[in-house]
Amino acid sequence: MKTKICEICSIAADTMFRVQIATGKNWIFVCQSCCEKSKSLTQYKYGGTWKGKRH
């Protein structure tokens, strides 16, 4: 199973969420916990889910 590192808290996870948390900034991958925290930001945009487990 593949993992990615959360760009906010640096924890490895097999399910990551692609988000944008500032206008005009790059998309980043974050863990579920950081994604939930980011939802309260006014510039938050969700861009999809990445899963390390493929069929």
Side-chain angles (χ1 to χ4, degrees):
M1 181 169 307
K2 296 180 182 180
T3 61
K4 284 189 184 244
I5 304 294
C6 175
E7 294 188 38
I8 295 176
C9 69
S10 300
I11 292 179
D14 60 355
T15 302
M16 301 294 276
F17 302 92
R18 185 173 173 249
V19 299
Q20 197 175 40
I21 55 176
T23 304
K25 296 291 181 181
N26 294 332
W27 292 92
I28 60 172
F29 283 100
V30 297
C31 66
Q32 185 173 3
S33 176
C34 290
C35 184
E36 292 295 324
K37 293 174 188 173
S38 299
K39 286 182 181 179
S40 64
L41 301 172
T42 57
Q43 303 300 325
Y44 169 83
K45 288 184 184 177
Y46 171 76
T49 302
W50 175 88
K51 296 180 181 176
K53 184 178 180 182
R54 299 284 174 160
H55 299 295

